[in-house]
Amino acid sequence: MYEYEVKYYDGQSSRSRNAFLLLRDSHWQLIFRDENDEEQSTRWEIDQIKQNDMGSALNTFHYGDFPHQSVEIEDPTFIDDLKQKYPGLDFVNKNYHRVLTGGWKVMAGLVALTILLFALFAFVIAPNSAALIAGQIPRSFESKLGENGYQVFMTTAEEDAKRSLLVNRFAKQMDFDTDYPIRITVVESDEVNAFALPGGRIVLFSGLLDKMGSAEELAGLLGHEVGHVKHRHSIKAQMRSLSTYLFVSLLLSDVNGVTAVLMDNAKMLSNLSYSRKLEHLADEEALAVLQKNHISQSGLVDLFRTLQGEAGKEPEFLKFLSSHPLTQDRLDFAKKAAAKQRGEQENLELKAIWERIETEGKKESELPG
Amino acid sequence: METIDDQQRKLGFWGEGSKLFGIFIVNMLLTLITLGLYYPWARAATMKYLYQETEFEGSRFTFHGTGKEMFIGFIKALGIVLSLYLVLFLFMWIGNTLFTLLGILIFFTGMSLLTPIAIHGALRYRMSRTSWRGIHFGYRGNLSELIRICIIGFLLTLVTFGIYSFWFEMKVRRYLIQNIRFGNVQFSFRGDGTDWFGLNLAGYLLSIITLGIYSFWWMKDRLKFQFSNIRIHQDDSTIKVKTSFTGGNYFGLVIVNGILMVITLGLATPWIMIRNIKYIFDNIVLDGAFNPDALEQTEEDYRDATGDDLMDALDMGM
Ligand SMILES: [Zn+2]
């Protein structure tokens, strides 16, 4: 019992020697014939035998310090024999060995557990810690971040200075209930889009401004964008994608492709639902701002209609879709709120500025070139 | 033991997709639970498995690297990369253009020096941690020589708008391979830049003309070039590497891999890895006299995994 035919290597050369391995209580004994055909015996102390990796059809065991002696054992029962002979000692890495010999039930259980943990990280831990960090970012850093982004953006964009001035004057007439300094820049572009940067800057493309039809609509848009600023959506979203990115590349890196694929799908799903959530929050904020300023909330409904019209016509709208996904739900939500609204008054001041913005826009489009 | 000419030997691979999948699952689980700290151990386990299922002349290879070594290397590599980024951000934070440029300069110089440092360290580690019949591989290249080759190659590549990169690549490959030792066995690489450039240019043009169909043959040619130019020297005999890659069998490999990947949403990755390794081993034959019993232990032990982890951080594969 516990005798095996093995191949023995002395660590000095690759010369293969047939040997007998005997498992003793305190050591392994190897008996082989040397080059002079004399019988030799060598003793491997148990605690200096290196752990084998995970078990295979042909197992190699190494002994002692470099250069290691080693033996190769092809006996299929050897790993099990080791467990019987030396209970409590791990000659193979038990984590891996257990899984590799545990059959499909163990494997299925582990897969399920992994997916569960994975979902926990991807959908709960990573995004929440991101939100926590986003909340800790100081105002000064936030505005520096926004300012940097703005400068970079403006290097390739052309400002419509006159309408910028007017839209800012328009915004000054409104109370956004925030201490972020709101500064709006109208940029010459066919794009039907607008976006908010952290710290209070809002960029409004002339393509969208041209399509809008009323002061209320502009007020609705500003309310929505300021909502993004107030609730630090840009930083939160960035932190979130950063955290998932770190989660992927730092924690799991390229442990294997499976992870990457799983993660990609999870990330897309989670980002999509997250941006929906942020849009909804910004819409709520817009409605509140309109109410506070006694402006008709149907402005927001009109804005959505303008955008929806665009969706049918222009492929550029896809961009708006991705930065502010527009859904029927959002339109219905605004409609419902507007129907219940009380206390709206016509704001002549805003109307006057809006008319000047419109005239300015027409002048612009009549300009040659 | 006697050696006869006209000997042919193959590398065998016994890895199984289901086992590799199991290892990946354990790796993923432990990495998740330990918030990523297990990653170096995970990498070591995967390597150990792939090595132990690789067979030559009836004996398996062993990877001796440990998670602990790779973890220490990982921390060092992380420190190096992070401190470079830190310099970059600090200089950019100061805000003025001169400092920003200086920061970028330091960052890119550091990053470009990191590449040869990583290759050197990784190869030393990887080779020293690989054994067969108890005999360890080794890499004896000189770091400053490799850096010199890389700087010259990088500058020449810049001034030739990238064309020199083919010669550069071969120069590095020749240098690395000729410094690999396996006991008293040495290696060399005979491919030169002109052939490599011609092969890639022709492959590129033909792929365009044939709307991509030729690309399978191009890839086959690249594989063939990379393997068939390797020579293995033991005492006075030279072993050649003969290959049997064909456009057809490469096409088969890629198509099946692609289908597997798509229908399993990527879960077939371990099986695909196994298929790729088997494809390579099935199509190379070591041709020439070789005495598997005559290797002597000549290389020293080297346990610093920083270079290996740097390679991993820089996303370079071996
Ligand atoms: Zn929005």
Side-chain angles (χ1 to χ4, degrees), chain A residues 7 9-16 50-60 62 65-70 72 93 95-96 99-100 107 110-111 113-115 117-118 121 125 141 144 148 247 250-259 261-262 265, chain B residues 18-19 21-33 35-36 38-39 41-42 45 48-49 52-53 55 58-60 62-64 74 93 131-136 261 265-267 269-270 291-297 299-301 303 312 315:
Chain A
K7 292 246 182 338
Y9 302 93
D10 61 8
Q12 303 300 328
S13 90
S14 64
R15 191 194 161 115
S16 175
K50 300 261 181 297
Q51 202 182 55
N52 178 292
D53 314 326
M54 36 215 68
S56 177
L58 177 62
N59 289 295
T60 309
H62 295 262
D65 284 329
F66 183 85
H68 322 273
Q69 303 171 50
S70 57
E72 289 170 358
N93 184 320
N95 287 333
Y96 293 101
V99 175
L100 299 192
M107 192 79 94
L110 280 175
V111 171
L113 188 60
T114 308
I115 291 173
L117 262 175
F118 207 84
F121 269 97
I125 296 177
F141 185 79
K144 181 141 189 160
N148 280 347
F247 175 61
L250 233 137
L251 297 195
L252 291 169
S253 188
D254 40 13
V255 170
N256 57 72
V258 183
T259 323
V261 174
L262 276 177
N265 292 333
Chain B
S18 56
K19 288 199 171 168
F21 184 83
I23 291 166
F24 280 175
I25 285 291
V26 177
N27 284 348
M28 224 191 290
L29 202 59
L30 292 175
T31 307
L32 275 170
I33 292 170
L35 296 174
Y38 187 74
Y39 179 62
W41 280 266
K48 278 172 189 283
Y49 179 72
Q52 77 170 17
E53 300 295 4
E55 185 175 314
S59 293
R60 303 292 177 92
T62 303
F63 181 68
H64 296 267
F74 176 69
W93 191 254
S131 80
W132 177 82
R133 294 193 172 181
I135 305 296
H136 285 244
M261 198 73 184
L265 296 173
L267 288 172
T269 307
N291 184 351
D293 279 350
L295 301 174
E296 301 288 330
Q297 191 82 276
E299 303 306 306
E300 48 185 78
D301 213 17
R303 293 162 186 254
D312 190 53
D315 247 348

Side-chain angles (χ1 to χ4, degrees), chain A residues 224-225 228 279 282 323-324 330:
Chain A
H224 176 92
E225 295 305 334
H228 282 313
E279 285 318 306
S323 55
H324 308 252
R330 288 179 66 193

Side-chain angles (χ1 to χ4, degrees), chain A residues 36-181:
Chain A
N36 307 320
D37 210 29
E38 274 172 39
E39 197 172 279
Q40 299 282 345
S41 166
T42 186
R43 192 185 152 103
W44 283 17
E45 300 306 329
I46 296 289
D47 58 347
Q48 289 192 58
I49 297 168
K50 300 261 181 297
Q51 202 182 55
N52 178 292
D53 314 326
M54 36 215 68
S56 177
L58 177 62
N59 289 295
T60 309
F61 284 88
H62 295 262
Y63 177 74
D65 284 329
F66 183 85
H68 322 273
Q69 303 171 50
S70 57
V71 292
E72 289 170 358
I73 302 143
E74 216 168 344
D75 195 312
T77 63
F78 186 69
I79 301 272
D80 287 329
D81 291 354
L82 281 179
K83 265 189 266 179
Q84 259 178 42
K85 173 81 186 165
Y86 307 104
L89 287 176
D90 294 323
F91 288 95
V92 289
N93 184 320
K94 55 175 187 251
N95 287 333
Y96 293 101
H97 187 69
R98 224 176 262 158
V99 175
L100 299 192
T101 54
W104 70 270
K105 273 185 188 161
V106 175
M107 192 79 94
L110 280 175
V111 171
L113 188 60
T114 308
I115 291 173
L116 201 79
L117 262 175
F118 207 84
L120 190 72
F121 269 97
F123 295 109
V124 183
I125 296 177
N128 280 315
S129 47
L132 202 75
I133 295 167
Q136 302 299 313
I137 288 174
R139 218 26 115 68
S140 60
F141 185 79
E142 196 185 356
S143 42
K144 181 141 189 160
L145 214 63
E147 209 52 38
N148 280 347
Y150 178 76
Q151 299 298 348
V152 170
F153 177 77
M154 288 310 287
T155 52
T156 55
E158 200 190 324
E159 185 180 356
D160 179 340
K162 275 187 191 159
R163 280 198 284 178
S164 283
L165 204 75
L166 289 168
V167 175
N168 275 302
R169 196 176 296 165
F170 185 98
K172 281 266 151 35
Q173 298 296 320
M174 292 174 65
D175 178 6
F176 290 107
D177 193 21
T178 175
D179 42 8
Y180 278 101

